[in-house]
């Protein structure tokens, strides 16, 4: 009877271990997809706000407006990868943030959302009144 209890206990532990090995990658993939979706939503909201500001006043300074909006959005939104970092970084390269760069030669904003492994989740090039968007699937 004791041998039966010991073997069933080890069999139960083995089943739990194998179940954990099977489920953990699926959970990790789900969490990663959720964080990528938040980054995409943050960058989309930011680019929409820049275009809305431009549409309300066509003579605004895009770079200054982008910096002001980044400061304003940092108060509302959080970085899904690292809570200590900002969600919108101007001229930076932060994981989980919408990294914004201004290209003065073409007068456009490049909004790039980076994942935890430095892959691009979303890239939006905003040249008012239009934009181009790339999403990773």
């Amino acid at each position: 009877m004791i041998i039966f209890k010991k073997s069933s206990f080890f069999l139960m532990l083995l089943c739990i271990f194998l179940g954990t090995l099977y489920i953990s990658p699926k959970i990790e993939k789900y969490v990663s997809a959720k964080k990528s979706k938040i980054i995409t939503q943050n960058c989309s909201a930011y680019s929409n706000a820049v275009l809305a500001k431009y549409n309300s006043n066509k003579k605004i300074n895009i770079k200054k407006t982008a910096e002001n909006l980044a400061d304003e959005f940092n108060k509302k939104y959080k970085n899904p990868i690292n809570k200590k970092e900002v969600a919108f970084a101007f001229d930076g390269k932060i994981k989980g943030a919408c990294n914004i760069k201004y290209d003065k030669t073409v007068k456009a904003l490049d909004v790039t959302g980076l994942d935890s492994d430095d892959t691009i989740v979303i890239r939006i090039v905003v040249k008012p009144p239009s934009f181009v968007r790339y999403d990773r699937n």
Side-chain angles (χ1 to χ4, degrees):
M1 194 72 168
I2 295 174
I3 295 173
F4 180 70
K5 286 184 180 181
K6 285 184 182 180
S7 65
S8 64
F9 177 73
F10 288 118
L11 185 61
M12 182 180 70
L13 284 178
L14 181 66
C15 288
I16 291 172
F17 177 72
L18 292 175
T20 304
L21 285 178
Y22 178 74
I23 292 174
S24 63
K26 293 182 182 209
I27 293 172
E28 185 178 331
K29 186 176 179 181
Y30 172 76
V31 170
S32 176
K34 189 174 179 182
K35 289 179 182 180
S36 294
K37 184 177 179 183
I38 292 171
I39 294 168
T40 301
Q41 290 171 346
N42 288 351
C43 293
S44 293
Y46 180 80
S47 65
N48 290 340
V50 169
L51 288 172
K53 288 270 188 184
Y54 177 80
N55 287 335
S56 66
N57 181 7
K58 307 246 189 260
K59 296 183 181 191
I60 61 171
N61 182 349
I62 296 295
K63 183 177 181 182
K64 187 163 184 76
T65 303
E67 289 173 343
N68 291 339
L69 279 174
D71 292 337
E72 182 182 320
F73 274 50
N74 278 328
K75 295 174 186 172
K76 294 184 208 176
Y77 297 93
K78 301 293 179 201
N79 186 328
I81 304 292
N82 186 355
K83 302 290 183 197
K84 294 178 183 177
E85 296 286 344
V86 294
F88 299 90
F90 208 85
D91 291 330
K93 190 176 180 186
I94 299 173
K95 295 177 182 180
C98 295
N99 299 295
I100 306 150
K101 291 184 183 176
Y102 179 71
D103 186 0
K104 57 185 165 184
T105 57
V106 292
K107 297 180 182 175
L109 290 174
D110 180 14
V111 182
T112 306
L114 297 176
D115 206 355
S116 59
D117 55 350
D118 278 341
T119 58
I120 296 174
V121 176
I122 184 169
R123 174 172 266 161
I124 304 171
V125 178
V126 180
K127 184 174 180 355
S130 63
F131 68 96
V132 176
R133 178 177 170 158
Y134 159 78
D135 289 356
R136 177 185 78 182
N137 290 333

